[in-house]
Amino acid sequence: MSQRELVVLGTASQVPTRHRNHNGYLLRWDGEGLLFDPGEGTQRQMLLAGASATGITRIAVSHFHGDHCLGLPGVVQRINLDRVPHPVDAYYPASGQVFFERLRHASAYHPTAEIREHPIAGSGPLPAPGAPFALEAVRLSHPVESFGYRLTEPDGLRLRPERLRELGLRGPAVGVLQREGRVEVDGRTVTVEQVGEVRPGQRFAFVMDTRLCDGVAELAEGADLLVIESTFLDQDAALAEEHGHLTAAQAARVAAAAGVRRLVLTHFSQRYPDLAGHLAEAARHFDGEIVVAEDLARVPVPPRR
């Protein structure tokens, strides 16, 4: 059975707390495992969450501030230690190439796995060999170059059982129709369009360190699951703008305008020991489902529309 869920490995911003590890988010999408922003301690958080290095197929780093990338050395070395048999694709801002190389080769280890580097120079589609989805990066606004990521599943086609019955299609004929798009039945041709309906593909968006900009809205548009930083509350909006971050209210307003189905708030400043304010602030602007992320929580992708 396919599995689509977000495993939250850490929810802190620059400074971790007793209850919040540095960032780390593992998106399980059918047979894929996309690890976003592995901050310090990610390898151990994966152990606590029951996630293995073998399940990682892609790593995506939004930017090279330490709370989003200092766990990369341990993750890379664990991938090699476990002799992960498949290639792992790594995405990151091209302007941070020197940082990626330092992190990837932070200490001595025996390389056994293939890690394919995909430095990002600007917004646009990303190479995603073998993936059942399209992956793209969108530039954000932060003191250092930062990109958000969006995963888009192509629309599919669902066969309508009542139409199959009406047209006398059953058994092997249905299989032919699915494979070839058409089938001959009783001297007539039936096409898949006659018995099917569009099944919208699902979307996931990851928006990390940024102030409000066009890229935030672009990433969030139509997302079934939006993971978005909400470092501050509106009372500290000036700080958010100065340091290139969002408030919970800003994140919620973006989600509402974009038609998001499930909103996940994360990346919380240590100045807020209690996150009830984030939930209350977001709820004033977004009437969909809101998840205030907690370390080691699992957040399912909503069922198809």
Side-chain angles (χ1 to χ4, degrees), residues 7-30:
V7 182
V8 180
L9 302 173
T11 58
S13 55
Q14 189 173 27
V15 178
T17 72
R18 292 183 180 182
H19 304 290
R20 299 181 209 147
N21 197 74
H22 270 155
N23 289 277
Y25 311 89
L26 178 64
L27 178 67
R28 288 173 164 160
W29 190 280
D30 301 343

Side-chain angles (χ1 to χ4, degrees), residues 33-73:
L34 296 87
L35 178 63
F36 293 90
D37 282 10
E40 186 178 348
T42 291
Q43 184 182 182
R44 187 167 186 274
Q45 293 294 94
M46 288 179 61
L47 176 66
L48 295 174
S52 72
T54 305
I56 298 172
T57 58
R58 305 178 197 277
I59 300 171
V61 176
S62 63
H63 66 293
F64 285 101
H65 278 153
D67 52 321
H68 297 262
C69 66
L70 286 179
L72 192 60

Side-chain angles (χ1 to χ4, degrees), residues 223-273:
D224 294 279
L225 186 66
L226 169 64
V227 178
I228 186 167
E229 71 121 307
S230 51
T231 311
F232 294 98
L233 292 176
D234 252 4
Q235 66 196 37
D236 298 311
L239 275 177
E241 174 69 20
E242 178 184 353
H243 296 290
H245 287 294
L246 297 173
T247 69
Q250 289 172 331
R253 285 194 290 266
V254 166
V260 168
R261 297 179 63 201
R262 183 168 292 160
L263 170 64
V264 180
L265 304 178
T266 188
H267 195 271
F268 307 113
S269 169
Q270 75 275 13
R271 71 179 56 227
Y272 309 110

Side-chain angles (χ1 to χ4, degrees), residues 175-247:
V176 173
L177 179 66
Q178 289 177 312
R179 290 192 302 274
E180 301 180 10
R182 62 182 58 234
V183 66
E184 296 291 327
V185 179
D186 298 331
R188 70 184 190 281
T189 300
V190 177
T191 66
V192 71
E193 287 79 15
Q194 291 176 268
V195 297
E197 62 184 6
V198 174
R199 182 196 66 181
Q202 292 190 301
R203 294 183 181 184
F204 167 84
F206 182 79
V207 179
M208 213 37 64
D209 293 20
T210 182
R211 56 178 63 86
L212 276 179
C213 64
D214 291 343
V216 177
E218 182 180 346
L219 287 161
E221 183 63 34
D224 294 279
L225 186 66
L226 169 64
V227 178
I228 186 167
E229 71 121 307
S230 51
T231 311
F232 294 98
L233 292 176
D234 252 4
Q235 66 196 37
D236 298 311
L239 275 177
E241 174 69 20
E242 178 184 353
H243 296 290
H245 287 294
L246 297 173
T247 69

Side-chain angles (χ1 to χ4, degrees), residues 24-188:
Y25 311 89
L26 178 64
L27 178 67
R28 288 173 164 160
W29 190 280
D30 301 343
E32 293 264 352
L34 296 87
L35 178 63
F36 293 90
D37 282 10
E40 186 178 348
T42 291
Q43 184 182 182
R44 187 167 186 274
Q45 293 294 94
M46 288 179 61
L47 176 66
L48 295 174
S52 72
T54 305
I56 298 172
T57 58
R58 305 178 197 277
I59 300 171
V61 176
S62 63
H63 66 293
F64 285 101
H65 278 153
D67 52 321
H68 297 262
C69 66
L70 286 179
L72 192 60
V75 171
V76 167
Q77 293 187 31
R78 185 58 181 268
I79 287 170
N80 284 273
L81 180 66
D82 289 358
R83 298 179 180 270
V84 170
H86 52 260
V88 175
D89 294 282
Y91 309 91
Y92 54 89
S95 59
Q97 182 68 43
V98 63
F99 301 122
F100 184 85
E101 291 173 0
R102 288 174 184 169
L103 292 165
R104 182 175 177 177
H105 302 290
S107 66
Y109 66 95
H110 179 57
T112 65
E114 180 184 3
I115 295 181
R116 300 185 294 207
E117 299 182 11
H118 303 286
I120 303 168
S123 299
L126 299 173
F133 48 72
L135 193 62
E136 61 185 305
V138 176
R139 189 183 301 278
L140 296 172
S141 176
H142 197 52
V144 300
E145 189 171 47
S146 184
F147 289 94
Y149 295 93
R150 181 165 62 183
L151 178 158
T152 305
E153 179 186 36
D155 291 343
L157 198 70
R158 185 183 75 87
L159 299 184
R160 298 161 57 196
E162 69 277 10
R163 286 293 290 157
L164 293 173
R165 288 193 298 270
E166 288 171 9
L167 296 172
L169 290 174
R170 62 181 62 85
V174 176
V176 173
L177 179 66
Q178 289 177 312
R179 290 192 302 274
E180 301 180 10
R182 62 182 58 234
V183 66
E184 296 291 327
V185 179
D186 298 331
R188 70 184 190 281

